[in-house]
Amino acid sequence: MASSAYSARRRRRRRLTSSPPVGVAPTTAATRVRVLLVWGLLVLSLMAIAGRLAWLQLVQGDNLASLAQQQRLSTPVQRQLRHSIVDRQGNVLAADHVVYTLYVHPRLFTLSMQEVATALSPLLETPVSNLMGQFSRQPTGIRLVDGLSEATVDRIRALRMNGLELHPQQQRFYPQQQLFAPIVGFVNFDGQPQAGLELAYQEQLSLLPPSDDTAVTAAEALSDPAVYGPPDSLFAENAATPDSATDTPPQHWPSGSASLHLTLDSRLQRAAQQELQAVVDRHRAKRGTVMVMDAHTGEMLALASVPTYDPNQYFRADLSDLRSWAISDLYEPGSTFKPINIAIALEAGLITADEIVNDSGQIQFGEWKIRNHDFVTAGGRGLISVTDVLKYSSNIGMIRIMQKMPASDYFAWLQQLSLDGLTGIDLPAEAAGQMKNREQFINSRVEPATTSFGQGFSLSPIKMLQLQATLANGGKLVTPHVVRGMIAPDGRELWVPDRPQPKTIFSPQTTEQVLTMMEAVVATGTGDSAKVPGYRIGGKTGTAQKAAASGGYGRGRVTSFVGILPIDAPRYVVLAIIDEPQGDDAYGSTVAAPLVKKVTEALVVLEGLPPTDN
């Protein structure tokens, strides 16, 4: 019994002496395994993170950068605010206005993507499937569409959907579209003027001078909360439709901004453009232009050309359409230059108004034979008056007249006309005329002969208009122009371009005699199709051969007609030129003269000209 008790006490004592103190961890193999396992997991986790970072950086870096760029709301392009451009009636041709960019954030939609796409589709004129595809690209910051109008934005606001965001942006707008495009030009999406008046008058059109410390860009004005408020975010916290205040000028703008006023008349321009397009289409012509100018002031009332383009979508236009070919291209005028030569001969005293010349129908210069356009049917007309030379558009008659003048004197007269110079019109890229040099001209019998009927040299349509105006204004070379000046809302002239004084070329007596001859051309000659009942009009037809690129003349032709009215008190010059009309009956009398008649009919109504011929 005592032995059993003793054994029990010894076992109890061994247990007590073998137990570790309280708070001391055992150092068994199992404990070490647990520690190694924890450290292993940590190392594996770090390796996984490092691998993920390497994959994102090296493999997905470009894609993620692109995605970040798409998600970042673009900083508005820094644009200089610009004055409006208006016509002589005050109709707006170019103006700044606010458009919107729509961003979507699918992560913030409270409706399904399908429902949002279905609601937006008719407003954006985009198929639901296309919108769904865009929504799926990323969870936020999707730039959905640019250039939204105020009307469309109002309809989007009315949807009161979360996850839509609208950002305002200034943009140049051209409400007349194609009507004035080659003249006004355009400002590109970066805010840079690229053509026309926008380029030529960029300093005057800038609302505030770039050097002015107070100048403000469109982006700054649009982002000014005092002016436009914050970006138009249609999230849950501000989904109410905001007030539309985007048409209110920013406080930075001068009160009552001035406009660049032009001399052009939208009503006449539209009539001219429509009639010109119809003629070009009907005769399958390459291009055409019709212009109307006040011969005394040089003010252009219309300057229509085909082809043209929509400056609101300038990126769709052919590069050649971005300029006005009536200013920038050259052509050989043909018989419309004959009245100018008659004026030279009269002014120089070589002929009198009742002079008689011999029209033999054809003439030979060495290897060159020159004929009248109607020689095959009419032959030589014999002795005819100077008036008949213009009426029948006799090449031989013109050669006989200009042969009375030494070639050196003739060349000097052409230089006095600034035939190879510029008109100084206030549009960019005007082309200077081309003519033979003095030695070539005076040492060749053919050059003076062909120049007498408007071939062998080239000039721009606007130069031809300027020369014809000398016959209508008493002999002065005025400067054609389309800009009147910068005009304040109260009519004050804030800035007017400087223009040179007109240069006198012919005497009023000479021009009056030529106009009398030109009136006969319309009354009983080749210009019969330009008649407007009740009005006395003078004119001249032209049908010129086109020079070929390889040299000489090809099969193409340029048809033209110039009209001057009213003859009893000449003021307006109307010039139409159609390049390469098709068909056997394509002449100045059949193509261009009827066009001038149509434009003249519109002109007399719009200008309130009373009939002069009862």
Side-chain angles (χ1 to χ4, degrees):
M1 180 106 171
S3 177
S4 298
Y6 174 77
S7 298
R9 286 196 297 272
R10 288 187 64 184
R11 287 195 298 269
R12 188 164 54 251
R13 197 162 40 243
R14 283 197 299 268
R15 285 197 302 271
L16 290 172
T17 58
S18 63
S19 299
V22 175
V24 178
T27 59
T28 64
T31 301
R32 288 195 295 271
V33 170
R34 286 198 297 271
V35 171
L36 291 174
L37 181 61
V38 170
W39 278 103
L41 291 174
L42 288 173
V43 171
L44 289 174
S45 297
L46 290 174
M47 291 177 64
I49 292 172
R52 177 66 173 172
L53 289 174
W55 182 77
L56 291 174
Q57 182 68 28
L58 300 177
V59 179
Q60 291 293 314
D62 292 341
N63 291 337
L64 291 174
S66 176
L67 182 61
Q69 181 67 23
Q70 293 175 5
Q71 290 179 337
R72 188 181 300 116
L73 295 182
S74 301
T75 301
V77 174
Q78 300 293 307
R79 291 185 174 91
Q80 178 72 57
L81 296 170
R82 300 170 72 83
H83 290 283
S84 298
I85 302 175
V86 301
D87 77 343
R88 69 190 296 120
Q89 304 293 330
N91 299 305
V92 176
L93 310 185
D96 287 350
H97 76 154
V98 176
V99 294
Y100 290 80
T101 295
L102 174 61
Y103 292 87
V104 294
H105 307 275
R107 185 173 62 188
L108 300 175
F109 288 170
T110 53
L111 300 175
S112 68
M113 288 187 182
Q114 180 71 37
E115 290 174 310
V116 174
T118 301
L120 290 177
S121 176
L123 304 185
L124 305 181
E125 298 181 351
T126 304
V128 172
S129 58
N130 289 10
L131 294 176
M132 289 289 290
Q134 291 180 276
F135 293 167
S136 302
R137 283 174 18 215
Q138 56 197 60
T140 185
I142 302 171
R143 186 170 182 163
L144 196 62
V145 64
D146 296 312
L148 292 175
S149 67
E150 192 73 48
T152 301
V153 165
D154 287 343
R155 296 173 68 188
I156 293 174
R157 287 171 177 156
L159 297 176
R160 302 176 66 84
M161 287 182 171
N162 292 341
L164 308 182
E165 187 173 12
L166 290 158
H167 275 242
Q169 186 178 39
Q170 174 261 354
Q171 189 178 81
R172 199 67 162 165
F173 177 59
Y174 303 93
Q176 307 292 340
Q177 298 176 309
Q178 295 94 339
L179 192 58
F180 290 95
I183 304 163
V184 172
F186 66 93
V187 174
N188 67 15
F189 289 143
D190 294 326
Q192 300 299 318
Q194 297 294 300
L197 295 173
E198 294 278 29
L199 179 62
Y201 286 90
Q202 56 181 320
E203 182 178 346
Q204 290 79 8
L205 286 169
S206 296
L207 198 59
L208 292 174
S211 58
D212 193 326
D213 292 338
T214 64
V216 59
T217 64
E220 291 168 338
L222 293 171
S223 61
D224 186 348
V227 178
Y228 287 111
D232 189 10
S233 302
L234 303 185
F235 297 136
E237 62 269 22
N238 68 335
T241 303
D243 293 334
S244 175
T246 56
D247 291 330
T248 303
Q251 297 304 310
H252 305 87
W253 291 8
S255 176
S257 177
S259 298
L260 186 69
H261 281 238
L262 306 187
T263 63
L264 298 164
D265 187 329
S266 293
R267 302 167 302 171
L268 185 60
Q269 178 82 3
R270 183 168 289 103
Q273 189 74 35
Q274 290 174 349
E275 295 296 340
L276 174 62
Q277 186 67 65
V279 169
V280 169
D281 292 343
R282 182 163 59 250
H283 294 277
R284 305 186 308 281
K286 178 182 178 180
R287 57 186 181 178
T289 184
V290 61
M291 300 174 285
V292 181
M293 186 174 81
D294 185 317
H296 293 273
T297 65
E299 291 185 353
M300 300 293 299
L301 304 183
L303 205 174
S305 60
V306 171
T308 183
Y309 67 99
D310 184 351
N312 298 300
Q313 302 183 52
Y314 65 87
F315 46 86
R316 300 182 185 276
D318 291 335
L319 288 177
S320 61
D321 297 345
L322 300 183
R323 55 181 172 73
S324 174
W325 77 270
I327 309 298
S328 302
D329 286 4
L330 306 178
Y331 80 112
E332 295 191 20
S335 294
T336 49
F337 195 74
K338 289 175 180 175
I340 304 298
N341 278 323
I342 294 293
I344 291 174
L346 287 169
E347 190 72 19
L350 301 178
I351 61 171
T352 60
D354 56 0
E355 189 91 8
I356 299 297
V357 297
N358 180 28
D359 178 5
S360 57
Q362 62 179 359
I363 193 171
Q364 190 81 30
F365 291 97
E367 62 179 315
W368 303 99
K369 179 179 287 186
I370 298 176
R371 292 179 172 180
N372 288 335
H373 70 94
D374 59 355
F375 177 75
V376 174
T377 57
R381 288 189 168 86
L383 298 177
I384 60 174
S385 68
V386 177
T387 297
D388 285 342
V389 169
L390 289 186
K391 276 179 56 177
Y392 301 121
S393 199
S394 170
N395 292 341
I396 305 305
M398 285 305 309
I399 292 173
R400 300 294 189 195
I401 291 172
M402 299 315 295
Q403 280 180 331
K404 297 174 180 289
M405 177 176 283
S408 58
D409 292 350
Y410 191 9
F411 187 84
W413 267 102
L414 298 177
Q415 287 186 312
Q416 191 173 346
L417 294 174
S418 300
L419 197 64
D420 56 350
L422 302 175
T423 67
I425 190 171
D426 44 7
L427 286 170
E430 181 182 7
Q434 295 180 356
M435 53 187 290
K436 302 296 190 301
N437 63 45
R438 186 176 185 277
E439 294 303 315
Q440 287 178 299
F441 190 87
I442 66 177
N443 291 326
S444 168
R445 295 179 63 204
V446 174
E447 290 301 333
T450 57
T451 301
S452 70
F453 54 86
Q455 300 255 205
F457 66 96
S458 59
L459 41 65
S460 66
I462 193 66
K463 182 64 180 182
M464 189 62 188
L465 185 70
Q466 182 193 43
L467 294 178
Q468 295 292 339
T470 64
L471 304 177
N473 64 23
K476 294 181 173 60
L477 207 59
V478 299
T479 302
H481 58 276
V482 298
V483 172
R484 175 188 165 197
M486 194 65 68
I487 311 299
D490 60 5
R492 288 180 296 116
E493 293 183 341
L494 304 180
W495 168 83
V496 176
D498 291 329
R499 296 189 180 90
Q501 288 296 315
K503 175 184 176 183
T504 299
I505 304 295
F506 306 117
S507 67
Q509 180 183 1
T510 292
T511 58
E512 184 178 347
Q513 290 173 332
V514 175
L515 287 179
T516 300
M517 299 175 192
M518 294 177 71
E519 184 177 17
V521 172
V522 174
T524 59
T526 58
D528 175 81
S529 53
K531 284 181 182 176
V532 176
Y535 293 89
R536 294 177 60 192
I537 299 172
K540 184 67 190 79
T541 55
T543 304
Q545 294 175 286
K546 285 194 69 172
S550 57
Y553 291 93
R555 297 177 60 84
R557 62 180 63 172
V558 178
T559 62
S560 58
F561 185 85
V562 59
I564 296 176
L565 73 149
I567 287 297
D568 54 326
R571 180 179 177 186
Y572 301 104
V573 182
V574 185
L575 175 63
I577 303 171
I578 306 298
D579 188 8
E580 294 189 19
Q582 304 301 305
D584 294 334
D585 193 35
Y587 298 98
S589 59
T590 58
V591 177
L595 172 58
V596 168
K597 175 183 179 178
K598 291 288 187 181
V599 175
T600 300
E601 288 173 339
L603 173 65
V604 297
V605 172
L606 293 173
E607 291 295 302
L609 291 180
T612 56
D613 182 11
N614 297 321

